[in-house]
Amino acid sequence: MKLHKLSTSEYNKARREFEQMLKTAYENDPGNGTVVCKCIGEIARAYGMTEIARETGLSRVNLYRAFSGEGNPEFSTVLKVMRVLGLRTVPGIR
């Protein structure tokens, strides 16, 4: 799925789609987080990586690299970006 830069109001409307994307990523991830991180990166690019960098205090270039699907972001970075995006993980046992 290709996403384009969204305004904040468009982003809020697209949140259900992003939620489904993230659920699918969790289901399809091989266990190393690459699929989930790539999905978060796609959502972040739609939101605006510059804005995320500003709100997290992290480098925009490093965010792009970390969430490219080939990066390996620290868990704290993942949590910071998810917080800005309004995403969350819900612990559960299956």
Side-chain angles (χ1 to χ4, degrees):
M1 168 183 272
K2 273 288 195 211
L3 300 174
H4 65 281
K5 175 91 168 84
L6 301 174
S7 69
T8 303
S9 63
E10 290 174 316
Y11 175 81
N12 288 331
K13 291 177 187 174
R15 289 175 65 116
R16 290 261 186 236
E17 183 179 339
F18 295 150
E19 180 180 7
Q20 187 56 49
M21 286 172 57
L22 193 56
K23 284 180 182 179
T24 301
Y26 272 99
E27 292 168 1
N28 294 306
D29 194 274
N32 60 8
T34 55
V35 174
V36 172
C37 285
K38 185 168 183 175
C39 178
I40 293 170
E42 290 174 12
I43 296 168
R45 282 186 288 282
Y47 183 85
M49 203 63 88
T50 300
E51 179 66 18
I52 291 170
R54 187 183 64 75
E55 291 188 40
T56 61
L58 301 169
S59 160
R60 184 179 61 82
V61 171
N62 287 340
L63 288 171
Y64 274 113
R65 188 175 302 129
F67 293 98
S68 68
E70 297 177 19
N72 188 18
E74 292 184 15
F75 190 61
S76 62
T77 300
V78 173
L79 291 178
K80 287 176 186 178
V81 171
M82 287 181 72
R83 186 170 294 123
V84 170
L85 295 172
L87 303 173
R88 61 187 176 110
T89 56
V90 180
I93 299 172
R94 51 177 181 149

